Amino acid sequence: MPFSVNSALEQSGVNVEVIIVDDASTDDSLAQAQALSRKDNRVRVLGHVKNTGPVGTFNDGLAVATGEFLVRLDADDVLTPGSLARAVHLAQAFPRVGLVYGHPIHFEGELRRPWFRRKVRSWIIWAGESWLDYRCVLGVNCITSPEVLMRTSVVRHVGGQRELAHTHDMEMWLRIARASDVGWIDGADQAWHREHSGSLSARKVDLMTDLDERAAAFRMLFTDGEGHQATASRRLETSLHAVANEAVARACQAFVRGRGDSAEVRGYLEFAHTIAGDLTRLPHGPTLQRSLELGASGSRRSPVLLARAAAYRLGNDYRRFRWKATGL
């Protein structure tokens, strides 16, 4: 935690307030936080008597925040030098932008100040509605968390995080985009995010859970009664079909790997059918139909299905490249 807090306190070109919310930790985290507060009056500590989870923790911090902008940092997240000034510069230049993000560096183990990109090549500003529509078409989250700067007034307008087990951040990014424009910092790395086996996401989120949680985030957003209801219905159908199509694609990948008769495939197909109905209408529907006709053993030897599986993997590689280059 000290590394994370210090990465915020050491930011140049901005005035920083750090609010540490200790969620009834059972180690010495609260004592560490209080020690940091005694050393620097910019640090404020809130201690929970009872564990409330990440949603309650964020919302309690939001309630007492006084800054014009917000960044949410977990204890394992670290801001790159200059991150806040880069994001604030964009946000101040475009007052309609409620969310600014850039590229995060994901790492494992100990962070030893690796090389990072600090030069901004350009800014990209999207109309929030357009950015939201694109996220619905893809059905995936493109943001981790520490690389995001939010405008506090917009967050207070749309409300804090909602009770979702694993996609509360994603749903909030989408909700902010529904109410404001979105900015992307091109060229600079904005934060480091540590991946480790003990995290909540690593322990409890497998592929099936991830699909289900993304669907839950889209449902919560587009059934909350806000905005034009015809548009909300269209976006809900688009996003759920995108998530269902991904489940079908994963089932097809399992077929060509000889796992067509597995519980994994049955789970994907049951999930996709539940949220999308007729699977033949989905882009990967014809591939699934051919896989079912050939069966597990036949699918492994089908040149057509093997070629489609390879194309799917190449498409995923391209999407990862595009995300790194454009944030989408």
Side-chain angles (χ1 to χ4, degrees), residues 221-244:
L221 178 65
F222 295 128
T223 60
D224 66 0
E226 297 294 329
H228 193 275
Q229 293 310 294
T231 300
S233 296
R234 172 183 58 80
R235 285 172 171 163
L236 179 59
E237 181 179 12
T238 298
S239 57
L240 291 183
H241 279 204
V243 177

Side-chain angles (χ1 to χ4, degrees), residues 47-65:
H48 286 169
V49 176
K50 181 181 179 181
N51 184 276
T52 65
V55 172
T57 297
F58 174 85
N59 289 340
D60 284 350
L62 171 65
V64 300

Side-chain angles (χ1 to χ4, degrees), residues 106-262:
H106 294 251
F107 70 99
E108 296 181 359
E110 294 300 318
L111 178 63
R112 302 187 183 279
R113 289 287 183 177
W115 174 87
F116 71 98
R117 301 173 302 163
R118 67 176 70 221
K119 184 177 180 180
V120 177
R121 288 194 298 258
S122 64
W123 293 337
I124 301 174
I125 310 299
W126 295 286
E129 297 280 356
S130 298
W131 188 88
L132 176 57
D133 278 334
Y134 194 64
R135 297 265 53 87
C136 293
V137 169
L138 295 183
V140 297
N141 185 20
C142 65
I143 296 174
T144 307
S145 181
E147 72 271 27
V148 171
L149 178 134
M150 298 165 275
R151 195 179 297 274
T152 306
S153 59
V154 174
V155 178
R156 295 200 193 285
H157 171 70
V158 303
Q161 293 191 340
R162 292 171 171 173
E163 288 294 341
L164 288 159
H166 303 290
T167 48
H168 40 269
D169 284 342
M170 171 186 170
E171 192 274 339
M172 186 170 66
W173 313 141
L174 300 175
R175 192 158 20 103
I176 292 172
R178 190 172 62 182
S180 67
D181 292 343
V182 176
W184 163 258
I185 297 172
D186 175 37
D189 297 314
Q190 287 293 91
W192 288 290
H193 174 74
R194 183 158 75 99
E195 307 280 0
H196 63 99
S197 59
S199 68
L200 178 65
S201 58
R203 286 183 283 113
K204 295 187 177 181
V205 183
D206 56 16
L207 291 173
M208 193 68 253
T209 302
D210 176 55
L211 290 167
D212 192 50
E213 282 289 312
R214 276 188 271 146
F218 286 119
R219 284 197 195 94
M220 179 170 284
L221 178 65
F222 295 128
T223 60
D224 66 0
E226 297 294 329
H228 193 275
Q229 293 310 294
T231 300
S233 296
R234 172 183 58 80
R235 285 172 171 163
L236 179 59
E237 181 179 12
T238 298
S239 57
L240 291 183
H241 279 204
V243 177
N245 188 56
E246 182 180 340
V248 171
R250 291 187 180 279
C252 294
Q253 293 295 101
F255 264 100
V256 298
R257 294 185 175 115
R259 303 197 306 270
D261 295 328
S262 65

Side-chain angles (χ1 to χ4, degrees), residues 294-317:
L294 293 175
S297 59
S299 297
R300 294 182 64 186
R301 298 189 298 271
S302 169
V304 172
L305 293 183
L306 289 170
R308 290 178 183 176
Y312 176 73
R313 292 193 295 271
L314 287 173
N316 282 342
D317 289 342

